[in-house]
Amino acid sequence: MRIKHPLTGAIVALITPMLEDGSVDFDALAGLIEFHIESGTKAIVSMGTTGESATLNQPEHIKVMQKTVEFAKGRIPVIAGTGANSTSEAIELTQAAKDIGADACLLVTPYYNRPTQEGLYQHYKAIAAAVDIDQILYNVPSRTAVDLSVETAVRLSAIDNIIGMKDATGDLSVAQELINECPDDFLLYSGDDATAVEFILMGGHGGISVTCNVVPVEVSSAYQLAFEGDKKSAQGIDANLYNLHQHLFIESSPIPVKWVMYKMGKCESGIRLPLTKLSQEARVVLEQDLVNLGVTI
């Protein structure tokens, strides 16, 4: 059975705010959640790539997910990032997400160990069998060194509690294949801000967005207009965001977006090694983007 209330539209890949010493700032996290509820964001991804999941240990990871659910208070769906390159660890995190009341889980393809397509299928099948919670596949080969094929995604779409997929390839030909081949009730999300509006115009169900951290109202509006088939208006808003889409990746994400959120007064500037603070040269570029968009800094 697919999810009863489809998670569509603008979904923020939420940063994990940190103090200067790298500890998680839960007060700022609560503030960010309120910001997104007020801005009309449709759902929150907690502990995804943008949330620095790679540098938090498992107890911290679970606590951030738990606090996100707690602060949300059922007012906005929470999708917990629970992927790992160990199937057993992914099952543990996914079970934890279910136990704390997350609405769904986002599971990145196993990174570094480069499984075969059959390995990917068995990995996701095992997690789905072990934990009865809605699960979303996450394909981002630029980071993981493994690419979940359309064929494998279609195989996995037959499993009831695998409800969708985030495609972060940025390749619209792949998006079109997924839209053509997957069941109509299988949710397909863009994981690439620069092409997300086009993805939705092609028939996608939304985007899991880094840019949404910064300008959630604008991202939500562009996606909604795309859903309504107002191509010109959706593309017009998206064109205004083009530089920001690009420059939020001027250095490894989430370095730029965390700095931008700091400049906006939403959090402190803490970030964990091996990630470092944004360079001075990149700060100048992003400051100009924010000024051009009328964002208060």
Side-chain angles (χ1 to χ4, degrees):
M1 182 181 296
R2 300 291 184 200
I3 193 167
K4 293 179 182 178
H5 303 289
L7 297 164
T8 59
I11 301 172
V12 63
L14 194 68
I15 65 164
T16 299
M18 296 175 183
L19 301 173
E20 286 299 320
D21 63 2
S23 61
V24 177
D25 185 347
F26 290 104
D27 289 338
L29 179 62
L32 289 174
I33 291 165
E34 295 302 320
F35 174 57
H36 284 286
I37 290 169
E38 293 166 4
S39 299
T41 301
K42 298 302 184 184
I44 289 169
V45 168
S46 171
M47 283 284 91
T49 304
T50 313
E52 290 177 83
S53 57
T55 55
L56 273 69
N57 62 37
Q58 191 170 110
E60 290 175 317
H61 188 127
I62 293 169
K63 186 174 181 180
V64 172
M65 295 191 301
Q66 179 182 4
K67 286 294 186 180
T68 302
V69 171
E70 179 184 317
F71 295 147
K73 298 177 183 176
R75 296 171 294 164
I76 187 171
V78 176
I79 302 168
T82 59
N85 63 347
S86 160
T87 304
S88 60
E89 182 181 357
I91 289 171
E92 289 175 8
L93 285 170
T94 303
Q95 184 62 56
K98 180 184 178 181
D99 293 343
I100 63 177
D103 295 278
C105 290
L106 179 70
L107 292 122
V108 70
T109 50
Y111 40 86
Y112 186 76
N113 45 18
R114 301 179 69 182
T116 63
Q117 292 301 309
E118 184 61 26
L120 289 169
Y121 176 79
Q122 294 297 338
H123 170 80
Y124 283 117
K125 181 182 177 184
I127 301 165
V131 189
D132 184 18
I133 188 172
D134 291 319
Q135 297 174 25
I136 300 167
L137 313 172
Y138 174 17
N139 189 38
V140 56
S142 63
R143 285 185 179 267
T144 62
V146 63
D147 189 3
L148 182 70
S149 72
V150 172
E151 181 182 4
T152 303
V154 171
R155 286 181 72 193
L156 288 164
S157 72
I159 298 172
D160 283 349
N161 61 325
I162 296 180
I163 64 162
M165 177 173 169
K166 174 185 176 182
D167 174 59
T169 63
D171 185 340
L172 290 175
S173 67
V174 172
Q176 190 64 67
E177 283 188 69
L178 288 166
I179 291 164
N180 291 344
E181 300 296 330
C182 290
D184 290 342
D185 62 350
F186 191 69
L187 300 171
L188 294 171
Y189 305 105
S190 170
D192 177 64
D193 278 299
T195 57
V197 165
E198 296 305 315
F199 189 109
I200 294 167
L201 287 167
M202 291 164 56
H205 299 95
I208 297 176
S209 167
V210 175
T211 304
C212 193
N213 279 280
V214 182
V215 283
V217 172
E218 290 82 353
V219 172
S220 294
S221 296
Y223 289 8
Q224 184 58 41
L225 288 163
F227 284 134
E228 294 169 359
D230 189 345
K231 181 176 180 178
K232 183 178 179 180
S233 297
Q235 289 177 334
I237 294 173
D238 196 47
N240 288 335
L241 300 177
Y242 176 82
N243 285 341
L244 187 62
H245 291 330
Q246 300 297 323
H247 296 152
L248 285 176
F249 294 86
I250 197 169
E251 293 180 9
S252 298
S253 186
I255 291 172
V257 70
K258 291 201 83 175
W259 183 82
V260 168
M261 299 305 286
Y262 162 67
K263 289 295 291 183
M264 291 172 63
K266 301 294 184 185
C267 62
E268 298 300 321
S269 61
I271 195 165
R272 287 193 182 181
L273 289 171
L275 299 181
T276 53
K277 292 182 181 179
L278 191 67
S279 68
Q280 290 295 333
E281 296 84 358
R283 293 180 190 189
V284 173
V285 173
L286 276 160
E287 280 183 345
Q288 188 60 56
D289 290 340
L290 297 175
V291 169
N292 290 345
L293 289 169
V295 175
T296 302
I297 56 174

